[in-house]
Structures are given as structure tokens and as C-alpha cells.
Amino acid sequence: MIFNDEKVLVTGASGFVGAAVARALAAQGARLRLLVRATSDRTNVAGLGAELVEGDLRDEGSVRRAAEGVRYLFHVAADYRIWAPDPEEIVRNNRTGTLAVMNAARDAGVERIVYTSSVATLKPLDGDAADETRPATPEQAVGAYKRSKVVAERLVEAMAADGLPVAIVNPSTPIGPRDVKPTPTGRIVVEAANGKMPAYVESGLNLVHVDDVAAGHLLALAKGRIGERYILGGQDVSLGGMLGEIARIVGRKPPSVVIPRAPLFPLAYANEAWCRLTGKTDPFLTVDSLKMAAHNMYFSSAKAEAELGYRARPYAEALRDAVDWFRAAGRIA
């Protein structure tokens, strides 16, 4: 899709997926407007020649100012935390922010919107790949982040049914370059590449290159049906398989010790309690992550492939790009 200097708003462009979407748009000739917080790391938006609007998704006025005069909008921003001292804060932030963006887009007359949801809103099928026909309820979601994305996605679906021109995309687990923060999966890549994961809890996930996710966003803008959701995934792989591939890329011996989940729960509770006490916000082991590990998060992108023309490269290429970027950034020895 060629944009011919049309103005496009992206929220969350300082983050991992948002930055990839912004770069894909810039490559297709879009005139970018990016909504960023005053405290956001600007590394991922440097050099894009974009118009930056400072604001916060919880500040409806700043969101409305950002939406004025744009033709298309990608709402990628989210409170992406697996854990927080107050878990309901994650739910409030994602619901409030999504509502503010959708209302601003509607009132500004934005022609088309792509909302970035997550496969977290879908119920997994252990052993098989789940698709878009398995929406979860908030009560079925494990943890505050997944619940927040279910709540926000249902809100967007209701607004689409009321005429809002929005399509929904559900990325699986993106990996690749420019994972500045990094994301929880990016942390696993770094730890494994540095030989700091001698053991692991077996699970399964769907890995996808972040640039393929970004390309899927543009396809959803051009071809996505209003109110429909599209999984943007890559390949299903066990966590052990992922760690083995990382070890192969960096030339290390892969971890061989698989730890059962049950004995780790006391450690997870203690880790969360320590973070509450010390004010730290990023425990590596959480109760919710152990609960999630009980399910293989495998997904099918068949709908996006058939309707949008979406394609994803092999997950090993995505891992190599992630490792190369983290090494260049000094995070991998």
C-alpha cells in the first residue's frame, strides 16, 4: 500500500511493535504523526522524520489533538506488563487508553483504523493451533495483561458494530530487532544467549518476526474487514526448541534441564513479594507466567493469509535478527 504523503497517526511507536509499524509506514510514503509520552525513550523513532505529539493515552485531550487531520490511525500502544503491584491498573490503563483513541478517531473522522490486540484475547488449544473463532472472556484470561486486552478488544468490537471503521490484528509473540526495553520474550532471548538459562519450564509459543507483524498491520489497513480480527503469527515452537535455536545461533550448549511448574510457585510468590517491597516492577518469574506455561500458545494465521495475503518468515530468522540486534546493542556478550 502506497500512502502518497497521507498523514497517519501511530500510537506506541516508541515501543517494539509500534516502531516496526512506523518504519513500515515510512517506507511506503506515509507522513507520520506519532503520539509519544514525554518520558518515552525516543531511540525507536529517531531518524523517521515524524511529527511527534507529546501526550498520554489517559489524557483524552492530547489524544484528540494527535488525531486531528489524520487519514489513518494505528493504535499499537498498550500497557504491556505481565505483572504490576496493582494488577487492575493494567486493565484500567488499556481500557481507558483504547476508549480514548477510538473516540478521538471517530470524532476526527479518521477513514480507517487498525487496532493492535493480541492472541492473549483467544483461548489456546493445547496441542493444536487456535484461530480467531476462540475469543476468551475476561474471566477466562490468565493474568491482568491478558484480561486487559480482552476487555479492550471487546470494546473495539462493539464500536466497530456501531460503525467505527476499525479492523483488529492479533500478533502472537514478536521477536526481532529494536526491542529496546526489552519485552518479556526479548529478555528470554538475552538471558538464553548469555548462557543464563540452564533450565526452563517447558511450554509452547508462536514466534513471529516483528517486521512481518508490521507488514500485517498495513495489510489489515488495506484489506481487513471492519470488526474482524486477524492473527498475525509465525511458527509454533516449544520453549525448549526456541532455547535450542538460540544456543545454536550463539554457539552455546542448549539447556537440558526441564523444571516442573509446581515447585516454582512458592518462588514466584516470593519474587513478587520482594518486588512489591523494593519497588521493582519487572520480576523475571511470576505466578501468572507459570500459569500461562501450562498451555501451549499455538495459533494459526490461516485467516490473515487467505484474506490479507499475510506471510511470515521462519522463526529461526527472527531469532537470528533478534540476537544480532541485542549483540550490537551490547546486551549479549
Side-chain angles (χ1 to χ4, degrees), residues 11 25 43 96 109-110 123 166 180-181 190 214 242 245 291 300 324:
T11 70
L25 287 165
T43 302
T96 301
V110 174
K123 293 180 291 186
V166 56
V180 172
K181 195 172 182 177
V190 170
M242 172 185 172
E245 183 62 27
K291 291 179 179 178
S300 168
D324 288 348

Side-chain angles (χ1 to χ4, degrees), residues 9-59:
L9 172 63
V10 182
T11 70
S14 62
F16 184 39
V17 174
V21 172
R23 288 175 181 276
L25 287 165
Q28 295 298 317
R31 186 152 48 103
L32 292 177
R33 177 181 290 172
L34 310 178
L35 178 64
V36 295
R37 290 178 296 169
T39 57
S40 291
D41 184 334
R42 308 293 171 89
T43 302
N44 273 341
V45 299
L48 287 178
E51 174 191 359
L52 302 184
V53 177
E54 286 193 356
D56 192 294
L57 296 181
R58 295 165 297 184
D59 174 12

Side-chain angles (χ1 to χ4, degrees), residues 1-3 6 8 21 25 28 71-74 111-115 165-169 213-226 228 230 232 304 306-310:
M1 183 174 183
I2 304 300
F3 288 89
E6 292 159 320
V8 183
V21 172
L25 287 165
Q28 295 298 317
R71 184 173 184 182
Y72 306 121
L73 187 154
F74 291 82
E111 185 176 311
R112 288 274 293 185
I113 307 158
V114 175
Y115 167 64
V166 56
I168 300 166
V169 292
V213 171
H217 277 68
L218 271 62
L219 288 169
L221 182 76
K223 302 178 181 180
R225 288 183 287 148
I226 301 302
E228 291 289 321
Y230 297 92
L232 303 180
E307 295 192 18
L308 308 182
Y310 171 75

Side-chain angles (χ1 to χ4, degrees), residues 86-109:
D86 174 14
E88 291 308 310
E89 181 182 36
I90 300 173
V91 181
R92 290 193 299 271
N93 286 347
N94 283 333
R95 186 189 187 283
T96 301
T98 299
L99 180 61
V101 172
M102 296 301 127
N103 281 337
R106 179 196 60 206
D107 295 346

Side-chain angles (χ1 to χ4, degrees), residues 2 22 26 49-50 85 91 124 172 175 221 235 246 261-262 276-277 300 332:
I2 304 300
V91 181
S172 57
I175 49 175
L221 182 76
Q235 289 179 294
I246 294 169
R261 292 184 310 116
R276 289 190 182 92
L277 182 66
S300 168
I332 296 176

